[in-house]
Amino acid sequence: MGFEIGRRALLQGMFAIPFIGRAGAQTQWPTKPVRVISGGSAGGGSDIAFRLVEQRLRDKFGQPFIIENLTGAGGTTGAAAAAKATDLHTFFISNVASNAIGVPLYKNFPFNPKTELPGVARLCTVTNALVVPANTGISNVQQFLERVKADPAKAFFGSAGPGTTSHLSGLLLGQRLGVELTHVPYKGTAANLTALLRNDVMFSVENLPVVISNVQSGNLKILAVSQARRSPLFPDIPTLQEAGVPDFDMFSWYGVSAATATPREVINRVSDEINAALKTEETIKRFRNIGSDAAPLNAADFDKFIAAEIDKWTPLVKSSGATSD
């Protein structure tokens, strides 16, 4: 009898060990400050989006989440460094350029998006906006379409550079309208905005936060937003779909991904905290104030979303002819 009781106790203890081990791993992480690599420049969109949830992560995990800017190759340099990290304390601020558009854009993409850099949580979506200089006399999408179709040779559109969402959104607009629009690439959003304000180009389908101040000052006019739903900041502005451009749903986004070596339980815990933060009214308002929409997705759904984004952008990138080494 005593032997049997002892044997049962031993077996119970053996099966309990993995559970205790997992719980122990959870309570012990993180053991040092967490590195969060950003592929963008300091103070850019990636940094701003992550900082809106960083305080909650710091409070919940007892360690700072420190942004490290590692720029280059449209953000893929930073993404690759994060993917290969093995310290179990490295994350990446993922975005449409580095995790979706970059896959078909770069001939030698530096990591496997299907098996490396797993998603943790989506943070937000950021619509683009079809904008024209306010002095063009164009006040709605219908007038814009009439102007473009009447003289497509003058339909120049500016972008922040080849392969950016402003480039690909303008390209898709031309495809949907059945007209060949002339792309004028600039070196970054600031240069593109300057060209638009000088009337060097007819229009741009640029990131909404980039144009907000000039819209509010009366220098630019938003005709429509590129996402399939209206922007809470400009609820009276139609979507391109509503304005008669079929099958148009283009937007940027930011999220958090993890180094490939990160344990799944750590990914899930960080995901839970980020998603909880994104559902609070305070965080929703803070994202809205910077021209974006909090858009929580858990780790599994974010992985599916990224895969779908790669599929969505790949044919457009290939049709644009934009490639890079």
Side-chain angles (χ1 to χ4, degrees):
M1 174 86 61
F3 173 80
E4 181 60 27
I5 293 173
R7 190 175 72 88
R8 286 201 302 268
L10 176 62
L11 289 172
Q12 289 170 354
M14 289 173 61
F15 284 109
I17 287 171
F19 175 78
I20 293 171
R22 287 194 296 268
Q26 289 184 352
T27 56
Q28 291 170 9
W29 188 94
T31 58
K32 61 180 181 179
V34 179
R35 180 173 63 151
V36 183
I37 295 177
S38 168
S41 57
S46 293
D47 293 21
I48 293 170
F50 181 76
R51 289 190 193 283
L52 295 186
V53 299
E54 192 275 337
Q55 187 61 53
R56 182 185 179 100
L57 296 177
R58 179 191 295 257
D59 292 343
K60 292 293 182 178
F61 293 107
Q63 291 282 358
F65 284 65
I66 301 172
I67 294 176
E68 176 185 324
N69 297 95
L70 186 57
T71 60
T76 59
T77 298
K84 307 298 184 183
T86 58
D87 64 350
L88 307 185
H89 287 72
T90 298
F91 291 84
F92 179 69
I93 307 172
S94 45
N95 61 81
V96 65
S98 58
N99 295 64
I101 293 174
V103 177
L105 181 64
Y106 292 98
K107 295 177 182 178
N108 299 303
F109 195 69
F111 66 93
N112 187 335
K114 293 182 179 180
T115 60
E116 298 180 293
L117 206 68
V120 176
R122 187 174 67 178
L123 294 172
C124 64
T125 59
V126 187
T127 188
N128 281 16
L130 171 60
V131 288
V132 296
N135 59 11
T136 61
I138 300 173
S139 59
N140 56 53
V141 175
Q142 186 58 42
Q143 292 177 0
F144 170 80
L145 297 180
E146 291 171 358
R147 184 84 60 92
V148 167
K149 291 182 178 180
D151 195 357
K154 294 182 179 179
F156 291 84
F157 74 94
S159 82
T164 61
T165 59
S166 52
H167 169 210
L168 298 177
S169 294
L171 177 66
L172 182 64
L173 181 61
Q175 292 177 358
R176 294 289 185 265
L177 297 178
V179 296
E180 187 170 343
L181 305 175
T182 302
H183 174 222
V184 184
Y186 293 95
K187 293 183 178 180
T189 54
N192 182 36
L193 184 61
T194 299
L196 186 62
L197 290 168
R198 290 195 309 229
N199 290 84
D200 292 343
V201 291
M202 178 183 175
F203 71 96
S204 184
V205 192
E206 185 55 275
N207 216 242
L208 178 61
V210 172
V211 303
I212 285 177
S213 62
N214 279 285
V215 170
Q216 293 172 336
S217 65
N219 295 319
L220 296 176
K221 184 172 183 58
I222 298 179
L223 304 181
V225 295
S226 64
Q227 200 164 359
R229 66 173 184 268
R230 295 192 181 198
S231 167
L233 277 179
F234 299 95
D236 295 331
I237 300 295
T239 68
L240 278 167
Q241 286 194 31
E242 290 173 331
V245 182
D247 192 24
F248 206 106
D249 185 20
M250 310 300 281
F251 54 91
S252 301
W253 49 266
Y254 295 103
V256 176
S257 296
T260 311
T262 309
R264 177 52 57 177
E265 57 264 30
V266 170
I267 289 175
N268 290 338
R269 289 175 63 208
V270 176
S271 179
D272 288 346
E273 295 301 336
I274 291 175
N275 279 281
L278 293 174
K279 293 173 184 177
T280 65
E281 191 59 35
E282 177 186 0
T283 305
I284 291 170
K285 288 180 179 178
R286 293 174 74 187
F287 272 103
R288 191 166 295 171
N289 287 340
I290 63 170
S292 60
D293 296 318
L297 286 177
N298 63 28
D301 289 339
F302 189 36
D303 276 335
K304 294 176 184 177
F305 171 78
I306 292 175
E309 282 288 283
I310 294 171
D311 290 342
K312 180 175 82 172
W313 289 100
T314 293
L316 196 56
V317 171
K318 290 182 176 179
S319 69
S320 77
T323 59
S324 177
D325 295 330

